[in-house]
PDB file of all heavy atoms in Angstrom:
ATOM      1  N   ASP A1327     -15.251 104.126 -92.820  1.00 80.00           N
ATOM      2  CA  ASP A1327     -15.925 102.898 -93.226  1.00 80.00           C
ATOM      3  C   ASP A1327     -17.397 102.937 -92.868  1.00 80.00           C
ATOM      4  O   ASP A1327     -18.230 102.364 -93.558  1.00 80.00           O
ATOM      5  CB  ASP A1327     -15.271 101.678 -92.557  1.00 80.00           C
ATOM      6  CG  ASP A1327     -13.898 101.418 -93.144  1.00 80.00           C
ATOM      7  OD1 ASP A1327     -13.747 101.567 -94.369  1.00 80.00           O
ATOM      8  OD2 ASP A1327     -12.995 101.080 -92.364  1.00 80.00           O
ATOM      9  N   TRP A1328     -17.680 103.634 -91.798  1.00 88.00           N
ATOM     10  CA  TRP A1328     -19.086 103.729 -91.385  1.00 88.00           C
ATOM     11  C   TRP A1328     -19.894 104.551 -92.378  1.00 88.00           C
ATOM     12  O   TRP A1328     -21.086 104.332 -92.535  1.00 88.00           O
ATOM     13  CB  TRP A1328     -19.205 104.288 -89.973  1.00 88.00           C
ATOM     14  CG  TRP A1328     -18.815 103.244 -88.978  1.00 88.00           C
ATOM     15  CD1 TRP A1328     -17.641 103.146 -88.304  1.00 88.00           C
ATOM     16  CD2 TRP A1328     -19.594 102.108 -88.612  1.00 88.00           C
ATOM     17  NE1 TRP A1328     -17.634 102.015 -87.522  1.00 88.00           N
ATOM     18  CE2 TRP A1328     -18.830 101.351 -87.694  1.00 88.00           C
ATOM     19  CE3 TRP A1328     -20.854 101.631 -88.973  1.00 88.00           C
ATOM     20  CZ2 TRP A1328     -19.291 100.165 -87.132  1.00 88.00           C
ATOM     21  CZ3 TRP A1328     -21.323 100.467 -88.404  1.00 88.00           C
ATOM     22  CH2 TRP A1328     -20.532  99.740 -87.496  1.00 88.00           C
ATOM     23  N   ALA A1329     -19.230 105.477 -93.047  1.00 88.00           N
ATOM     24  CA  ALA A1329     -19.934 106.230 -94.089  1.00 88.00           C
ATOM     25  C   ALA A1329     -20.430 105.262 -95.152  1.00 88.00           C
ATOM     26  O   ALA A1329     -21.556 105.381 -95.642  1.00 88.00           O
ATOM     27  CB  ALA A1329     -19.007 107.280 -94.685  1.00 88.00           C
ATOM     28  N   GLY A1330     -19.584 104.287 -95.494  1.00 85.00           N
ATOM     29  CA  GLY A1330     -19.975 103.275 -96.478  1.00 85.00           C
ATOM     30  C   GLY A1330     -21.154 102.445 -95.988  1.00 85.00           C
ATOM     31  O   GLY A1330     -22.080 102.149 -96.742  1.00 85.00           O
ATOM     32  N   VAL A1331     -21.105 102.096 -94.700  1.00 88.00           N
ATOM     33  CA  VAL A1331     -22.197 101.301 -94.130  1.00 88.00           C
ATOM     34  C   VAL A1331     -23.504 102.091 -94.205  1.00 88.00           C
ATOM     35  O   VAL A1331     -24.545 101.567 -94.606  1.00 88.00           O
ATOM     36  CB  VAL A1331     -21.883 100.915 -92.664  1.00 88.00           C
ATOM     37  CG1 VAL A1331     -23.087 100.231 -92.030  1.00 88.00           C
ATOM     38  CG2 VAL A1331     -20.660 100.010 -92.603  1.00 88.00           C
ATOM     39  N   LEU A1332     -23.421 103.379 -93.823  1.00 91.00           N
ATOM     40  CA  LEU A1332     -24.628 104.222 -93.869  1.00 91.00           C
ATOM     41  C   LEU A1332     -25.165 104.319 -95.289  1.00 91.00           C
ATOM     42  O   LEU A1332     -26.371 104.315 -95.527  1.00 91.00           O
ATOM     43  CB  LEU A1332     -24.328 105.622 -93.329  1.00 91.00           C
ATOM     44  CG  LEU A1332     -24.108 105.694 -91.807  1.00 91.00           C
ATOM     45  CD1 LEU A1332     -23.434 107.012 -91.423  1.00 91.00           C
ATOM     46  CD2 LEU A1332     -25.428 105.535 -91.058  1.00 91.00           C
ATOM     47  N   GLN A1333     -24.236 104.388 -96.227  1.00 88.00           N
ATOM     48  CA  GLN A1333     -24.655 104.484 -97.620  1.00 88.00           C
ATOM     49  C   GLN A1333     -25.336 103.185 -98.075  1.00 88.00           C
ATOM     50  O   GLN A1333     -26.356 103.231 -98.758  1.00 88.00           O
ATOM     51  CB  GLN A1333     -23.440 104.776 -98.490  1.00 88.00           C
ATOM     52  CG  GLN A1333     -23.835 105.461 -99.774  1.00 88.00           C
ATOM     53  CD  GLN A1333     -22.617 105.985-100.496  1.00 88.00           C
ATOM     54  OE1 GLN A1333     -21.554 106.182 -99.893  1.00 88.00           O
ATOM     55  NE2 GLN A1333     -22.760 106.206-101.785  1.00 88.00           N
ATOM     56  N   SER A1334     -24.792 102.058 -97.672  1.00 86.00           N
ATOM     57  CA  SER A1334     -25.435 100.779 -98.009  1.00 86.00           C
ATOM     58  C   SER A1334     -26.845 100.714 -97.444  1.00 86.00           C
ATOM     59  O   SER A1334     -27.737 100.124 -98.036  1.00 86.00           O
ATOM     60  CB  SER A1334     -24.646  99.602 -97.439  1.00 86.00           C
ATOM     61  OG  SER A1334     -23.363  99.583 -97.973  1.00 86.00           O
ATOM     62  N   ALA A1335     -27.003 101.330 -96.279  1.00 89.00           N
ATOM     63  CA  ALA A1335     -28.329 101.317 -95.651  1.00 89.00           C
ATOM     64  C   ALA A1335     -29.234 102.379 -96.260  1.00 89.00           C
ATOM     65  O   ALA A1335     -30.401 102.485 -95.890  1.00 89.00           O
ATOM     66  CB  ALA A1335     -28.196 101.542 -94.152  1.00 89.00           C
ATOM     67  N   GLY A1336     -28.663 103.194 -97.151  1.00 89.00           N
ATOM     68  CA  GLY A1336     -29.464 104.219 -97.818  1.00 89.00           C
ATOM     69  C   GLY A1336     -29.797 105.412 -96.943  1.00 89.00           C
ATOM     70  O   GLY A1336     -30.765 106.120 -97.204  1.00 89.00           O
ATOM     71  N   VAL A1337     -28.985 105.651 -95.896  1.00 92.00           N
ATOM     72  CA  VAL A1337     -29.316 106.744 -94.978  1.00 92.00           C
ATOM     73  C   VAL A1337     -28.148 107.713 -94.768  1.00 92.00           C
ATOM     74  O   VAL A1337     -28.122 108.458 -93.800  1.00 92.00           O
ATOM     75  CB  VAL A1337     -29.796 106.208 -93.602  1.00 92.00           C
ATOM     76  CG1 VAL A1337     -31.104 105.451 -93.755  1.00 92.00           C
ATOM     77  CG2 VAL A1337     -28.748 105.298 -92.955  1.00 92.00           C
ATOM     78  N   ARG A1338     -27.176 107.680 -95.691  1.00 92.00           N
ATOM     79  CA  ARG A1338     -26.008 108.513 -95.538  1.00 92.00           C
ATOM     80  C   ARG A1338     -26.375 109.995 -95.442  1.00 92.00           C
ATOM     81  O   ARG A1338     -25.940 110.713 -94.532  1.00 92.00           O
ATOM     82  CB  ARG A1338     -25.067 108.270 -96.731  1.00 92.00           C
ATOM     83  CG  ARG A1338     -23.853 109.164 -96.811  1.00 92.00           C
ATOM     84  CD  ARG A1338     -22.865 108.831 -95.692  1.00 92.00           C
ATOM     85  NE  ARG A1338     -22.066 109.980 -95.327  1.00 92.00           N
ATOM     86  CZ  ARG A1338     -20.895 110.268 -95.858  1.00 92.00           C
ATOM     87  NH1 ARG A1338     -20.375 109.481 -96.769  1.00 92.00           N
ATOM     88  NH2 ARG A1338     -20.219 111.323 -95.465  1.00 92.00           N
TER      89      ARG A1338
END
Side-chain angles (χ1 to χ4, degrees):
Chain A
D1327 289 321
W1328 285 102
V1331 173
L1332 289 164
Q1333 205 169 339
S1334 299
V1337 295
R1338 174 70 207 268

